[in-house]
Amino acid sequence: MDLTVAAATGHQTFLADLIKWNRRHHLTAKAAEMPDLPSETPHRHPLLLKPPESIQLTLFEPVRDFRRYRNPNGSKGRSWTGFTPADPGYAGFLVDRARDVAAVRGWNHCTIKRVKCGLMILSALHQPSEKIKATTVHALARDIDVPAVHLIDMLDDLDLLLDDAPDPLEQLVRAHLAVLPEQIRGEVTAYFDILRNGAPRRRPRSPHTVDIHLRLIVPFTAEYCAPRYSTLRQVTADDITDWLSKRNNVQREIVALRDMFKTLKSQRLIFANPARRIRPGNTLVNPPRPFAEDQLKQVARAADESPALLAVVALAGIHALFPHEIRMLQDSDIELSIGRLRRGEVSRPLDDFTAEAIRKYRRYRDARWPDSANPHLLLTQQTAKRESPVSDFWLKRLFKGLPATADSLRQDRVLEEAIAAGPDPLRIATMFNLSAQASLRYTRAVSPAGDGNS
Protein backbone atom coordinates (compact mmCIF):
# COMPACT_ATOMS: atom_id res chain seq x y z
CA MET A 1 0.00 0.00 0.00
CA ASP A 2 1.56 3.37 -1.00
CA LEU A 3 1.93 6.41 1.29
CA THR A 4 -1.01 8.26 -0.30
CA VAL A 5 -3.45 5.43 0.40
CA ALA A 6 -2.05 4.91 3.90
CA ALA A 7 -2.36 8.62 4.75
CA ALA A 8 -5.93 8.76 3.43
CA THR A 9 -6.86 5.65 5.40
CA GLY A 10 -5.40 7.06 8.60
CA HIS A 11 -7.22 10.36 8.12
CA GLN A 12 -10.56 8.58 7.52
CA THR A 13 -10.04 6.42 10.62
CA PHE A 14 -9.34 9.52 12.69
CA LEU A 15 -12.47 11.26 11.41
CA ALA A 16 -14.62 8.17 12.05
CA ASP A 17 -13.34 7.91 15.64
CA LEU A 18 -13.93 11.64 16.16
CA ILE A 19 -17.53 11.42 14.93
CA LYS A 20 -18.24 8.40 17.15
CA TRP A 21 -16.77 10.22 20.18
CA ASN A 22 -18.89 13.29 19.50
CA ARG A 23 -22.03 11.22 19.10
CA ARG A 24 -21.35 9.40 22.34
CA HIS A 25 -20.89 12.64 24.30
CA HIS A 26 -23.66 14.54 22.46
CA LEU A 27 -21.29 17.28 21.29
CA THR A 28 -21.91 16.97 17.56
CA ALA A 29 -22.82 20.22 15.81
CA LYS A 30 -26.54 20.77 15.73
CA ALA A 31 -28.60 20.60 12.57
CA ALA A 32 -30.76 23.43 11.27
CA GLU A 33 -33.05 25.06 13.81
CA MET A 34 -36.51 23.55 14.18
CA PRO A 35 -39.54 25.42 15.53
CA ASP A 36 -41.57 24.76 18.69
CA LEU A 37 -38.87 23.12 20.79
CA PRO A 38 -39.59 22.74 24.53
CA SER A 39 -36.47 24.57 25.78
CA GLU A 40 -37.76 25.93 29.11
CA THR A 41 -36.55 22.89 31.07
CA PRO A 42 -32.89 21.82 30.97
CA HIS A 43 -32.42 18.61 28.98
CA ARG A 44 -31.36 15.51 30.85
CA HIS A 45 -29.80 12.27 29.74
CA PRO A 46 -32.16 9.30 30.34
CA LEU A 47 -29.40 7.36 32.10
CA LEU A 48 -29.15 10.17 34.68
CA LEU A 49 -32.84 10.18 35.45
CA LYS A 50 -33.72 8.99 38.92
CA PRO A 51 -35.33 5.55 38.66
CA PRO A 52 -38.84 5.26 40.03
CA GLU A 53 -39.28 3.88 43.52
CA SER A 54 -41.88 1.40 42.31
CA ILE A 55 -43.15 0.16 38.98
CA GLN A 56 -46.78 -0.62 38.25
CA LEU A 57 -46.97 -4.02 36.60
CA THR A 58 -49.08 -4.34 33.46
CA LEU A 59 -52.11 -6.61 33.70
CA PHE A 60 -52.51 -6.77 29.92
CA GLU A 61 -51.06 -4.88 26.97
CA PRO A 62 -53.65 -3.09 24.80
CA VAL A 63 -53.11 -2.75 21.09
CA ARG A 64 -51.83 0.70 20.21
CA ASP A 65 -54.05 2.56 17.75
CA PHE A 66 -52.75 5.93 16.56
CA ARG A 67 -55.33 6.51 13.86
CA ARG A 68 -57.27 8.92 16.07
CA TYR A 69 -54.28 11.27 15.93
CA ARG A 70 -54.48 11.67 12.17
CA ASN A 71 -55.45 14.91 10.45
CA PRO A 72 -59.16 15.78 10.39
CA ASN A 73 -59.39 14.73 6.73
CA GLY A 74 -58.16 11.23 7.65
CA SER A 75 -54.72 11.52 6.06
CA LYS A 76 -51.54 10.56 7.89
CA GLY A 77 -50.42 13.72 9.64
CA ARG A 78 -47.11 14.88 11.08
CA SER A 79 -48.44 17.22 13.73
CA TRP A 80 -47.94 16.61 17.45
CA THR A 81 -50.43 19.31 18.45
CA GLY A 82 -52.35 18.21 21.52
CA PHE A 83 -49.59 15.97 22.88
CA THR A 84 -48.17 17.04 26.21
CA PRO A 85 -44.90 15.26 27.10
CA ALA A 86 -44.78 13.72 30.55
CA ASP A 87 -41.40 15.43 31.01
CA PRO A 88 -40.74 18.40 28.69
CA GLY A 89 -37.03 18.31 29.49
CA TYR A 90 -36.84 14.66 28.57
CA ALA A 91 -38.72 15.30 25.31
CA GLY A 92 -36.39 18.18 24.56
CA PHE A 93 -33.38 15.94 25.11
CA LEU A 94 -34.73 13.41 22.61
CA VAL A 95 -35.32 16.13 20.03
CA ASP A 96 -31.80 17.50 20.52
CA ARG A 97 -30.45 13.99 20.19
CA ALA A 98 -32.32 13.68 16.88
CA ARG A 99 -30.54 16.84 15.70
CA ASP A 100 -27.16 15.38 16.64
CA VAL A 101 -27.84 12.14 14.75
CA ALA A 102 -29.21 14.10 11.79
CA ALA A 103 -25.98 16.10 11.58
CA VAL A 104 -23.91 12.91 11.53
CA ARG A 105 -26.08 10.91 9.10
CA GLY A 106 -27.10 13.71 6.76
CA TRP A 107 -30.87 13.68 7.32
CA ASN A 108 -32.77 16.36 5.44
CA HIS A 109 -35.18 18.78 7.11
CA CYS A 110 -38.24 16.70 6.22
CA THR A 111 -36.79 13.58 7.84
CA ILE A 112 -35.82 15.53 10.98
CA LYS A 113 -39.35 16.92 11.26
CA ARG A 114 -40.91 13.45 10.91
CA VAL A 115 -38.56 11.98 13.51
CA LYS A 116 -39.35 14.85 15.87
CA CYS A 117 -43.07 14.22 15.45
CA GLY A 118 -42.62 10.57 16.40
CA LEU A 119 -40.45 11.41 19.43
CA MET A 120 -42.95 13.97 20.74
CA ILE A 121 -45.82 11.48 20.47
CA LEU A 122 -43.82 8.67 22.10
CA SER A 123 -42.60 10.91 24.93
CA ALA A 124 -46.20 11.94 25.60
CA LEU A 125 -47.34 8.31 25.88
CA HIS A 126 -44.38 7.01 27.93
CA GLN A 127 -42.68 7.98 31.15
CA PRO A 128 -38.99 9.01 31.00
CA SER A 129 -37.91 5.79 32.71
CA GLU A 130 -40.12 3.57 30.53
CA LYS A 131 -38.68 1.59 27.64
CA ILE A 132 -40.52 1.84 24.33
CA LYS A 133 -41.50 -1.31 22.47
CA ALA A 134 -40.47 -1.77 18.87
CA THR A 135 -44.01 -2.89 18.03
CA THR A 136 -45.30 0.44 19.36
CA VAL A 137 -42.94 2.32 17.04
CA HIS A 138 -44.08 0.23 14.07
CA ALA A 139 -47.73 0.82 14.97
CA LEU A 140 -47.03 4.55 15.13
CA ALA A 141 -45.31 4.47 11.73
CA ARG A 142 -48.21 2.51 10.27
CA ASP A 143 -50.83 5.03 11.39
CA ILE A 144 -48.81 8.27 11.36
CA ASP A 145 -46.26 9.31 8.75
CA VAL A 146 -43.07 8.84 10.81
CA PRO A 147 -39.94 6.76 9.96
CA ALA A 148 -39.87 3.65 12.15
CA VAL A 149 -36.30 2.66 11.24
CA HIS A 150 -34.84 6.02 12.30
CA LEU A 151 -36.78 6.06 15.57
CA ILE A 152 -35.78 2.50 16.44
CA ASP A 153 -32.12 3.24 15.73
CA MET A 154 -32.22 6.27 18.02
CA LEU A 155 -34.01 4.51 20.87
CA ASP A 156 -31.68 1.52 20.62
CA ASP A 157 -28.64 3.80 20.74
CA LEU A 158 -30.00 5.39 23.95
CA ASP A 159 -30.88 1.99 25.48
CA LEU A 160 -34.56 2.93 25.50
CA LEU A 161 -35.79 0.25 23.10
CA LEU A 162 -37.55 -2.96 24.07
CA ASP A 163 -37.18 -5.09 20.95
CA ASP A 164 -40.31 -7.22 20.97
CA ALA A 165 -40.78 -7.26 17.20
CA PRO A 166 -41.04 -10.74 15.67
CA ASP A 167 -37.84 -12.09 14.19
CA PRO A 168 -38.16 -11.75 10.39
CA LEU A 169 -35.74 -14.63 9.79
CA GLU A 170 -37.79 -16.89 12.06
CA GLN A 171 -40.92 -15.95 10.16
CA LEU A 172 -39.18 -16.63 6.84
CA VAL A 173 -38.01 -20.08 7.96
CA ARG A 174 -41.41 -21.12 9.25
CA ALA A 175 -43.19 -19.80 6.14
CA HIS A 176 -40.95 -21.84 3.83
CA LEU A 177 -41.21 -24.99 5.96
CA ALA A 178 -45.00 -24.80 6.32
CA VAL A 179 -45.47 -26.69 3.02
CA LEU A 180 -43.63 -29.79 4.28
CA PRO A 181 -45.25 -32.88 5.86
CA GLU A 182 -45.35 -32.81 9.64
CA GLN A 183 -42.46 -35.16 10.42
CA ILE A 184 -40.16 -33.82 7.69
CA ARG A 185 -41.00 -30.28 8.82
CA GLY A 186 -40.00 -31.16 12.39
CA GLU A 187 -36.66 -32.62 11.23
CA VAL A 188 -35.81 -29.68 8.98
CA THR A 189 -36.91 -27.21 11.69
CA ALA A 190 -34.54 -28.90 14.17
CA TYR A 191 -31.69 -28.42 11.70
CA PHE A 192 -32.41 -24.72 11.18
CA ASP A 193 -32.74 -24.16 14.93
CA ILE A 194 -29.19 -25.48 15.35
CA LEU A 195 -28.00 -23.52 12.34
CA ARG A 196 -29.37 -20.27 13.80
CA ASN A 197 -28.72 -20.74 17.53
CA GLY A 198 -25.76 -23.12 17.56
CA ALA A 199 -25.13 -26.24 19.63
CA PRO A 200 -22.62 -27.25 22.33
CA ARG A 201 -20.02 -27.98 19.66
CA ARG A 202 -21.25 -25.72 16.90
CA ARG A 203 -21.34 -21.95 16.64
CA PRO A 204 -24.44 -20.20 15.26
CA ARG A 205 -24.28 -19.09 11.66
CA SER A 206 -25.08 -15.67 10.24
CA PRO A 207 -28.61 -14.83 9.03
CA HIS A 208 -27.26 -14.62 5.47
CA THR A 209 -25.98 -18.22 5.68
CA VAL A 210 -29.28 -19.40 7.15
CA ASP A 211 -31.18 -17.73 4.30
CA ILE A 212 -28.94 -19.35 1.65
CA HIS A 213 -29.30 -22.84 3.18
CA LEU A 214 -33.05 -22.33 3.43
CA ARG A 215 -33.38 -21.60 -0.29
CA LEU A 216 -31.15 -24.56 -1.18
CA ILE A 217 -32.75 -27.19 1.08
CA VAL A 218 -36.46 -26.40 0.84
CA PRO A 219 -36.78 -27.32 -2.89
CA PHE A 220 -35.27 -30.77 -2.24
CA THR A 221 -37.46 -31.51 0.78
CA ALA A 222 -40.65 -30.04 -0.70
CA GLU A 223 -40.41 -31.13 -4.35
CA TYR A 224 -38.57 -34.44 -4.06
CA CYS A 225 -38.95 -35.84 -0.53
CA ALA A 226 -42.49 -34.75 0.39
CA PRO A 227 -44.30 -36.62 -2.45
CA ARG A 228 -42.32 -39.82 -1.77
CA TYR A 229 -41.53 -40.06 1.93
CA SER A 230 -42.92 -39.16 5.34
CA THR A 231 -39.51 -38.71 7.01
CA LEU A 232 -35.95 -37.89 5.97
CA ARG A 233 -34.86 -41.24 7.39
CA GLN A 234 -36.08 -42.82 4.15
CA VAL A 235 -33.87 -40.68 1.88
CA THR A 236 -31.04 -42.56 0.15
CA ALA A 237 -27.84 -41.51 -1.60
CA ASP A 238 -29.44 -42.35 -4.96
CA ASP A 239 -32.26 -39.90 -4.21
CA ILE A 240 -29.78 -37.08 -3.60
CA THR A 241 -27.77 -37.93 -6.72
CA ASP A 242 -30.93 -38.09 -8.82
CA TRP A 243 -32.05 -34.70 -7.51
CA LEU A 244 -28.67 -33.04 -8.10
CA SER A 245 -28.47 -34.33 -11.67
CA LYS A 246 -31.36 -32.03 -12.59
CA ARG A 247 -30.18 -28.93 -10.71
CA ASN A 248 -28.12 -25.94 -11.81
CA ASN A 249 -26.50 -24.77 -8.56
CA VAL A 250 -25.12 -28.23 -7.79
CA GLN A 251 -22.09 -27.39 -5.69
CA ARG A 252 -23.92 -25.21 -3.19
CA GLU A 253 -26.78 -27.67 -2.89
CA ILE A 254 -24.38 -30.51 -2.12
CA VAL A 255 -22.78 -28.48 0.67
CA ALA A 256 -26.17 -27.55 2.16
CA LEU A 257 -27.59 -31.10 1.98
CA ARG A 258 -24.43 -32.65 3.43
CA ASP A 259 -24.56 -30.21 6.33
CA MET A 260 -28.24 -30.88 7.03
CA PHE A 261 -27.96 -34.68 7.03
CA LYS A 262 -24.74 -34.59 9.06
CA THR A 263 -26.42 -32.38 11.69
CA LEU A 264 -29.55 -34.56 11.86
CA LYS A 265 -27.37 -37.66 12.23
CA SER A 266 -25.43 -36.06 15.11
CA GLN A 267 -28.73 -35.24 16.82
CA ARG A 268 -29.94 -38.83 16.26
CA LEU A 269 -32.95 -37.69 14.28
CA ILE A 270 -31.98 -39.96 11.38
CA PHE A 271 -30.20 -43.32 11.47
CA ALA A 272 -27.67 -42.81 8.64
CA ASN A 273 -26.28 -39.94 6.61
CA PRO A 274 -27.17 -40.57 2.94
CA ALA A 275 -25.02 -37.64 1.75
CA ARG A 276 -21.84 -38.78 3.51
CA ARG A 277 -20.17 -40.22 0.42
CA ILE A 278 -21.43 -37.61 -2.05
CA ARG A 279 -18.69 -35.14 -2.91
CA PRO A 280 -18.93 -31.99 -5.04
CA GLY A 281 -16.72 -33.53 -7.71
CA ASN A 282 -15.70 -31.85 -10.92
CA THR A 283 -18.33 -33.63 -12.98
CA LEU A 284 -21.12 -32.20 -10.85
CA VAL A 285 -19.95 -28.58 -10.97
CA ASN A 286 -21.47 -26.64 -13.83
CA PRO A 287 -18.69 -24.98 -15.86
CA PRO A 288 -18.96 -21.23 -16.47
CA ARG A 289 -20.15 -20.20 -19.92
CA PRO A 290 -19.42 -16.95 -21.76
CA PHE A 291 -22.17 -14.51 -22.65
CA ALA A 292 -23.36 -14.11 -26.20
CA GLU A 293 -22.64 -10.78 -27.87
CA ASP A 294 -26.32 -9.80 -28.10
CA GLN A 295 -26.75 -10.45 -24.36
CA LEU A 296 -23.84 -8.15 -23.49
CA LYS A 297 -25.25 -5.46 -25.77
CA GLN A 298 -28.60 -5.68 -23.98
CA VAL A 299 -26.88 -5.20 -20.61
CA ALA A 300 -24.84 -2.29 -22.03
CA ARG A 301 -27.97 -0.50 -23.31
CA ALA A 302 -29.64 -0.83 -19.91
CA ALA A 303 -26.49 0.41 -18.14
CA ASP A 304 -26.47 3.58 -20.26
CA GLU A 305 -29.82 4.51 -18.69
CA SER A 306 -28.88 3.74 -15.06
CA PRO A 307 -25.75 5.18 -13.37
CA ALA A 308 -26.00 2.61 -10.56
CA LEU A 309 -26.22 -0.31 -12.99
CA LEU A 310 -23.32 1.11 -15.01
CA ALA A 311 -21.10 1.24 -11.91
CA VAL A 312 -22.04 -2.32 -10.91
CA VAL A 313 -21.44 -3.62 -14.45
CA ALA A 314 -17.98 -2.03 -14.47
CA LEU A 315 -17.02 -3.39 -11.05
CA ALA A 316 -18.31 -6.91 -11.78
CA GLY A 317 -17.61 -7.18 -15.50
CA ILE A 318 -14.12 -5.66 -15.50
CA HIS A 319 -12.69 -6.06 -11.99
CA ALA A 320 -14.63 -9.27 -11.22
CA LEU A 321 -15.78 -8.15 -7.78
CA PHE A 322 -18.17 -10.48 -5.98
CA PRO A 323 -21.70 -9.08 -5.37
CA HIS A 324 -21.09 -8.78 -1.62
CA GLU A 325 -17.82 -6.92 -2.32
CA ILE A 326 -19.69 -4.44 -4.51
CA ARG A 327 -22.32 -3.87 -1.82
CA MET A 328 -19.68 -3.34 0.90
CA LEU A 329 -17.38 -1.18 -1.25
CA GLN A 330 -16.58 2.12 0.46
CA ASP A 331 -16.52 5.36 -1.48
CA SER A 332 -12.98 5.93 -0.18
CA ASP A 333 -11.87 2.62 -1.73
CA ILE A 334 -11.98 4.24 -5.18
CA GLU A 335 -9.41 7.02 -5.64
CA LEU A 336 -9.95 8.58 -9.03
CA SER A 337 -7.17 11.14 -8.53
CA ILE A 338 -4.48 8.43 -8.58
CA GLY A 339 -6.50 5.85 -10.53
CA ARG A 340 -6.57 3.10 -7.90
CA LEU A 341 -9.21 0.67 -6.63
CA ARG A 342 -8.64 -0.85 -3.23
CA ARG A 343 -9.96 -4.38 -2.82
CA GLY A 344 -9.34 -5.38 0.79
CA GLU A 345 -5.61 -5.03 1.37
CA VAL A 346 -4.82 -5.00 -2.36
CA SER A 347 -4.64 -1.80 -4.42
CA ARG A 348 -5.04 -2.26 -8.16
CA PRO A 349 -5.08 0.09 -11.19
CA LEU A 350 -8.38 1.59 -12.26
CA ASP A 351 -9.26 1.48 -15.97
CA ASP A 352 -10.79 4.44 -17.82
CA PHE A 353 -14.21 2.83 -18.32
CA THR A 354 -14.68 2.06 -14.62
CA ALA A 355 -13.36 5.49 -13.61
CA GLU A 356 -15.87 7.24 -15.88
CA ALA A 357 -18.70 4.99 -14.61
CA ILE A 358 -17.82 5.89 -11.00
CA ARG A 359 -17.69 9.61 -11.85
CA LYS A 360 -21.11 9.41 -13.47
CA TYR A 361 -22.59 7.58 -10.49
CA ARG A 362 -21.04 9.99 -7.98
CA ARG A 363 -22.59 12.95 -9.81
CA TYR A 364 -25.96 11.19 -9.71
CA ARG A 365 -25.56 10.28 -6.03
CA ASP A 366 -24.44 13.78 -4.97
CA ALA A 367 -27.36 15.35 -6.82
CA ARG A 368 -29.94 13.03 -5.25
CA TRP A 369 -28.50 12.66 -1.72
CA PRO A 370 -26.19 15.65 -1.20
CA ASP A 371 -26.24 15.44 2.61
CA SER A 372 -25.76 11.68 3.01
CA ALA A 373 -23.01 10.60 5.42
CA ASN A 374 -23.13 6.92 4.41
CA PRO A 375 -19.54 5.83 3.66
CA HIS A 376 -20.52 3.21 1.05
CA LEU A 377 -20.29 3.87 -2.67
CA LEU A 378 -23.78 2.62 -3.58
CA LEU A 379 -26.78 4.23 -1.91
CA THR A 380 -30.55 3.86 -1.92
CA GLN A 381 -33.34 6.02 -0.56
CA GLN A 382 -33.20 4.03 2.70
CA THR A 383 -29.44 3.63 3.18
CA ALA A 384 -28.69 7.26 2.31
CA LYS A 385 -29.98 8.24 5.76
CA ARG A 386 -28.14 5.45 7.55
CA GLU A 387 -24.70 3.84 7.53
CA SER A 388 -25.60 0.37 6.21
CA PRO A 389 -24.80 -0.96 2.71
CA VAL A 390 -27.39 -1.63 0.04
CA SER A 391 -29.20 -4.94 0.26
CA ASP A 392 -28.58 -8.01 -1.85
CA PHE A 393 -32.20 -7.76 -3.05
CA TRP A 394 -31.58 -4.22 -4.38
CA LEU A 395 -28.48 -5.36 -6.24
CA LYS A 396 -30.35 -8.25 -7.87
CA ARG A 397 -33.26 -5.98 -8.79
CA LEU A 398 -30.89 -3.79 -10.84
CA PHE A 399 -30.65 -6.67 -13.34
CA LYS A 400 -34.38 -7.37 -13.49
CA GLY A 401 -35.36 -8.30 -17.04
CA LEU A 402 -31.73 -8.64 -18.17
CA PRO A 403 -29.97 -11.87 -19.22
CA ALA A 404 -27.24 -11.38 -16.61
CA THR A 405 -26.55 -10.82 -12.93
CA ALA A 406 -23.62 -9.27 -11.11
CA ASP A 407 -22.20 -12.71 -10.35
CA SER A 408 -22.61 -14.01 -13.92
CA LEU A 409 -20.78 -10.91 -15.22
CA ARG A 410 -17.99 -11.62 -12.75
CA GLN A 411 -17.71 -15.22 -13.96
CA ASP A 412 -17.72 -14.08 -17.59
CA ARG A 413 -14.81 -11.73 -16.84
CA VAL A 414 -12.73 -14.46 -15.16
CA LEU A 415 -13.49 -16.86 -17.98
CA GLU A 416 -12.45 -14.24 -20.54
CA GLU A 417 -9.10 -13.83 -18.77
CA ALA A 418 -8.58 -17.60 -18.71
CA ILE A 419 -9.23 -17.77 -22.46
CA ALA A 420 -6.95 -14.81 -23.26
CA ALA A 421 -4.01 -15.74 -21.02
CA GLY A 422 -4.26 -19.52 -21.21
CA PRO A 423 -5.40 -22.06 -18.61
CA ASP A 424 -3.07 -20.92 -15.81
CA PRO A 425 -4.87 -21.45 -12.47
CA LEU A 426 -2.18 -19.62 -10.48
CA ARG A 427 -2.57 -16.48 -12.59
CA ILE A 428 -6.36 -16.60 -12.28
CA ALA A 429 -6.22 -17.14 -8.51
CA THR A 430 -3.75 -14.27 -8.00
CA MET A 431 -5.48 -11.77 -10.28
CA PHE A 432 -9.02 -12.28 -9.00
CA ASN A 433 -8.32 -13.40 -5.41
CA LEU A 434 -9.83 -16.87 -5.91
CA SER A 435 -9.15 -20.15 -4.18
CA ALA A 436 -7.28 -22.94 -5.93
CA GLN A 437 -10.47 -24.96 -6.49
CA ALA A 438 -12.33 -21.94 -7.88
CA SER A 439 -9.54 -21.05 -10.30
CA LEU A 440 -9.39 -24.65 -11.55
CA ARG A 441 -13.09 -24.43 -12.37
CA TYR A 442 -12.33 -21.72 -14.96
CA THR A 443 -9.17 -23.27 -16.37
CA ARG A 444 -10.93 -26.61 -16.83
CA ALA A 445 -13.77 -24.84 -18.64
CA VAL A 446 -11.18 -23.45 -21.07
CA SER A 447 -9.22 -26.69 -21.41
CA PRO A 448 -11.51 -29.58 -20.32
CA ALA A 449 -9.16 -32.25 -21.57
CA GLY A 450 -6.18 -30.89 -19.65
CA ASP A 451 -5.47 -30.72 -15.95
CA GLY A 452 -5.22 -26.94 -15.79
CA ASN A 453 -1.49 -26.99 -14.98
CA SER A 454 -0.04 -26.05 -18.33
Side-chain angles (χ1 to χ4, degrees):
M1 181 181 296
D2 53 34
L3 295 178
T4 304
V5 176
T9 304
H11 181 63
Q12 293 153 7
T13 304
F14 169 76
L15 289 179
D17 293 341
L18 180 61
I19 290 175
K20 291 180 180 178
W21 187 91
N22 285 336
R23 289 177 62 192
R24 187 162 53 250
H25 292 79
H26 315 297
L27 297 177
T28 309
K30 301 295 188 289
E33 287 296 325
M34 294 183 298
D36 303 325
L37 297 181
S39 58
E40 294 79 5
T41 307
H43 302 163
R44 295 175 290 171
H45 193 287
L47 297 181
L48 301 180
L49 294 172
K50 182 180 178 180
E53 297 180 358
S54 61
I55 299 177
Q56 177 65 46
L57 299 179
T58 303
L59 181 61
F60 64 93
E61 185 68 28
V63 178
R64 298 277 186 177
D65 185 3
F66 298 95
R67 287 177 294 181
R68 61 182 181 275
Y69 302 118
R70 290 183 178 180
N71 290 336
N73 59 2
S75 63
K76 295 183 178 181
R78 298 177 187 170
S79 173
W80 54 89
T81 304
F83 289 93
T84 303
D87 186 335
Y90 174 75
F93 164 77
L94 293 179
V95 172
D96 271 0
R97 178 57 181 168
R99 289 172 166 177
D100 295 342
V101 175
V104 174
R105 300 187 179 179
W107 295 353
N108 56 33
H109 182 74
C110 179
T111 301
I112 300 173
K113 187 174 181 180
R114 294 168 62 200
V115 170
K116 177 187 173 182
C117 174
L119 291 175
M120 296 296 289
I121 295 176
L122 292 173
S123 61
L125 300 177
H126 298 81
Q127 296 298 320
S129 59
E130 184 181 359
K131 288 197 173 185
I132 301 174
K133 294 183 176 181
T135 51
T136 301
V137 179
H138 285 293
L140 175 63
R142 184 180 62 248
D143 296 330
I144 307 294
D145 189 13
V146 296
V149 174
H150 297 66
L151 290 171
I152 287 177
D153 286 345
M154 279 194 56
L155 296 174
D156 188 35
D157 186 50
L158 294 172
D159 197 25
L160 292 174
L161 180 69
L162 183 60
D163 192 0
D164 63 334
D167 185 1
L169 184 58
E170 177 71 20
Q171 293 180 318
L172 180 66
V173 170
R174 301 202 177 278
H176 277 75
L177 302 185
V179 298
L180 300 178
E182 182 177 357
Q183 188 164 350
I184 295 180
R185 181 171 66 248
E187 294 164 345
V188 180
T189 300
Y191 164 69
F192 278 104
D193 287 342
I194 294 175
L195 195 66
R196 294 190 60 211
N197 306 316
R201 294 187 178 182
R202 178 167 181 169
R203 61 180 178 85
R205 306 305 296 272
S206 67
H208 180 65
T209 300
V210 176
D211 181 58
I212 291 178
H213 280 232
L214 180 68
R215 300 180 189 280
L216 294 174
I217 289 174
V218 167
F220 172 71
T221 54
E223 300 175 18
Y224 191 92
C225 298
R228 294 172 172 83
Y229 307 125
S230 60
T231 174
L232 295 181
R233 298 175 182 177
Q234 300 171 282
V235 177
T236 64
D238 292 338
D239 292 329
I240 300 176
T241 304
D242 181 46
W243 168 259
L244 294 175
S245 64
K246 306 171 185 176
R247 305 295 292 176
N248 295 325
N249 200 1
V250 176
Q251 192 170 21
R252 285 190 174 186
E253 291 202 27
I254 291 177
V255 173
L257 291 175
R258 280 171 55 87
D259 186 64
M260 181 184 70
F261 283 110
K262 180 181 178 180
T263 302
L264 295 179
K265 174 68 167 56
S266 66
Q267 299 297 313
R268 299 183 179 180
L269 294 176
I270 60 176
F271 302 122
N273 180 1
R276 183 169 62 92
R277 298 186 181 277
I278 300 179
R279 297 285 190 273
N282 299 327
T283 57
L284 292 178
V285 179
N286 295 326
R289 296 181 177 86
F291 279 110
E293 184 177 355
D294 58 335
Q295 293 177 319
L296 292 177
K297 288 182 178 180
Q298 185 178 350
V299 175
R301 287 193 296 268
D304 287 338
E305 305 295 330
S306 171
L309 179 59
L310 181 63
V312 172
V313 168
L315 294 171
I318 295 180
H319 294 272
L321 295 187
F322 286 89
H324 71 273
E325 292 179 316
I326 297 176
R327 294 193 302 109
M328 301 300 297
L329 190 67
Q330 304 277 307
D331 188 42
S332 58
D333 290 337
I334 301 178
E335 300 182 62
L336 298 179
S337 59
I338 60 176
R340 306 293 293 182
L341 168 63
R342 189 164 57 248
R343 184 181 185 182
E345 299 297 329
V346 179
S347 179
R348 59 193 301 175
L350 196 64
D351 61 285
D352 294 338
F353 179 83
T354 305
E356 183 57 32
I358 298 301
R359 289 192 187 96
K360 183 177 180 180
Y361 177 74
R362 281 179 172 174
R363 289 193 296 267
Y364 161 78
R365 185 190 64 181
D366 293 341
R368 184 167 183 180
W369 303 291
D371 300 325
S372 176
N374 193 316
H376 296 89
L377 173 67
L378 299 176
L379 298 180
T380 65
Q381 186 66 30
Q382 289 72 32
T383 63
K385 303 173 185 178
R386 308 178 69 186
E387 298 178 358
S388 57
V390 297
S391 65
D392 184 59
F393 172 76
W394 177 86
L395 190 62
K396 291 179 180 178
R397 192 174 58 179
L398 279 179
F399 292 88
K400 184 177 181 180
L402 297 176
T405 63
D407 190 62
S408 62
L409 288 175
R410 178 193 67 83
Q411 295 186 46
D412 181 74
R413 171 67 182 95
V414 179
L415 185 62
E416 180 188 29
E417 186 66 29
I419 296 174
D424 185 354
L426 181 59
R427 173 187 173 90
I428 298 298
T430 304
M431 178 177 291
F432 298 107
N433 193 26
L434 298 177
S435 65
Q437 188 66 30
S439 62
L440 284 173
R441 175 170 176 255
Y442 293 96
T443 55
R444 286 185 176 125
V446 175
S447 179
D451 59 359
N453 294 321
S454 59

